[in-house]
Every structure is written in C-alpha cells, then in structure tokens.
Amino acid sequence: MGITDTTVTAGWNPEALDEILSNDEGRPVLFTNARILTMDPLIGTMTGADLLFVGSLLVGVGPGIITAAGDDNAIVVDCTGMTIAPAVVDTVALAGGRGHRSEYVATLTPGNTTDFLVVPDVPAADVPSAVTALLTRPEQIRALVAAGRPVLWAGTDVGRATAPEAGIPASADLTGSPRVGVWIDRHDFLHQELTADGRYDETRGGRPHAYQGQYWIDGDRIDYLDDLGFWAYGEFQGDELHHAGYVMKLG
C-alpha cells in the first residue's frame, strides 16, 4: 500500500487528534517513537525519539520521555515510521549566519515554539524534503502543528485559522482605544499621532506631516502603510511603543 493511500492517512491517530483539539486543561502532548530532525547544532537528528510540548512551548526532545507520559497524563501520539521536522526553516542558521545556538529560533529545541511537521520517513530524508512535501503533496502530511495546535492532520485541514483576505483591509474604528493619541519619543524628536479612524501622522524634528498613512493594530503589533507606499511596523511593550529604533510614550 503506497504512502499516499488515503485509507492509511485517514486512520492516523484519530483519537489523539480529538484529545489535542479538546485539550483545554494544559495537558502535555507527546509525539513518540519518531525520527526527529531537530536542526539544532547540538542535538542533531535522533531516531526512536520523543517530542514533548505543552501549549505552544516545546519542553522536551529525545529518547525515553515516553516513560513519564502516564505520570504526566500526557496525550500520546504514536509516530512509528514517521519523521518530525521543523515547520519553519531558519535558512540563515543553516547557512552558518548565526553565531550562537540561542539564536536558532526555528529548531526543535526545548524552549522554542512548537511548530513542526510529521511526514512518513520515505519522503522526508531531510528538512527541505519534508517542507517540499507540505507544499506539493499535502496529502502525505500526517500532521502540521503550529504553536502547539494541529493545522493539518492526516492530510486534512483541522482548526486552520482564517487567512487574511488579499488586499488592504479597512481601518477599524478605534474610538476609545487607549492607544489612540500622540506618541512621543524620549528625545522629543518623533511625534506620532494615532487617530481613531486608523490614520497616523508623524512630526519629525519639528517637521510636520513627515510621514502619514494608515495603521492597524493586532494584539501588541502595529502595522503601518505609508501614503508613499511602504510598509513598517512597531510593537507595544507595556506603556511604550517601539518603532524603527524609537521608543515612544503617550504624550
């Protein structure tokens, strides 16, 4: 029976999927007995190994973790004959462009975000092959997990978030938002006014209307689309707005 046979794929750990999707109690999840391509320079590739995560945080990788699964009330997913690979590839790290192991953000290393693929061993000789399978033969993917939540399972969409529609979204009405107002950097050089209609207007060094455009807030992230056509972003950190090297507070 071929690896793309849907009868094989459809029957892959359905009970475990149900448990993961209904896991509101923070139970750990263990993918066990897999070949794991961690892409971590210290850990390397492991066979017959386990991957343990809680929510979006990867907390363990290696052989023997399964022994504590019962004690921890873990949800166990049998990955015999499967390869687990990072779903996000850090090409800069692979090319030797990062100097410290702590900078390898897209590896299957404890402490990193739980983003990974589960693919049968045959088409997953290495990470590029596993990612290629996701893009070209998604029916071969046993699981795609993003931040600890299944996105694909047994070649089928599950719990996938709705992707943003193409095109520039309408600005939200931010009346009453505590983030509306004039943000001023610590040197009083940059004044960035965020208005409730989703527009921004920057004064730089006393020069009014230096940049103007639309903005959108998603959580603590703010995206800007300037009227000149370029995109930029910032991040709210507590009572500060960090943008393009500036740290601002509401005036």
Side-chain angles (χ1 to χ4, degrees):
M1 192 175 290
I3 57 174
T4 60
D5 190 296
T6 56
T7 60
V8 176
T9 307
W12 195 75
N13 289 302
E15 297 85 1
L17 173 63
D18 291 341
E19 286 188 277
I20 294 172
L21 292 177
S22 61
N23 181 22
D24 296 324
E25 299 133 14
R27 292 173 62 192
V29 181
L30 182 73
F31 281 61
T32 185
N33 199 32
R35 181 170 69 114
I36 302 179
L37 309 175
T38 70
M39 302 310 295
D40 182 294
L42 182 63
I43 300 173
T45 296
M46 295 182 166
T47 57
D50 309 327
L51 190 77
L52 179 68
F53 61 94
V54 178
S56 63
L57 185 66
L58 180 60
V59 296
V61 60
I65 301 177
I66 185 66
T67 57
D71 296 337
D72 298 335
N73 191 30
I75 299 169
V76 178
V77 183
D78 181 17
C79 294
T80 301
M82 300 292 152
T83 291
I84 297 177
V88 179
V89 180
D90 186 347
T91 55
V92 174
L94 291 177
R98 303 201 190 282
H100 301 282
R101 180 168 171 258
S102 61
E103 298 172 349
Y104 284 54
V105 297
T107 59
L108 296 181
T109 303
N112 283 354
T113 302
T114 309
D115 295 327
F116 65 88
L117 288 165
V118 182
V119 186
D121 288 339
V122 174
D126 51 29
V127 171
S129 298
V131 174
T132 298
L134 171 64
L135 298 176
T136 63
R137 300 182 300 279
E139 70 278 359
Q140 293 185 353
I141 302 300
R142 295 302 189 264
L144 168 60
V145 176
R149 299 294 293 177
V151 176
L152 291 176
W153 195 276
T156 303
D157 289 356
V158 288
R160 181 177 295 194
T162 302
E165 293 185 8
I168 305 302
S171 297
D173 181 0
L174 296 172
T175 301
S177 170
R179 288 168 171 170
V180 167
V182 179
W183 294 81
I184 303 172
D185 86 296
R186 62 188 62 175
H187 302 296
D188 199 32
F189 175 82
L190 176 64
H191 292 208
Q192 185 182 94
E193 182 179 9
L194 304 180
T195 58
D197 60 354
R199 297 280 301 175
Y200 70 91
D201 190 340
E202 285 190 5
T203 297
R204 288 176 171 247
R207 178 166 57 96
H209 315 308
Y211 293 106
Q212 296 173 291
Q214 295 175 264
Y215 74 91
W216 298 266
I217 295 176
D218 183 5
D220 288 329
R221 179 186 175 107
I222 178 170
D223 288 278
Y224 306 90
L225 174 57
D226 196 82
D227 290 343
L228 295 175
F230 67 83
W231 290 84
Y233 86 101
E235 183 180 21
F236 294 99
Q237 297 182 13
D239 63 350
E240 297 177 340
L241 172 55
H242 293 241
H243 165 66
Y246 294 95
V247 177
M248 297 172 279
K249 291 191 175 186
L250 274 174

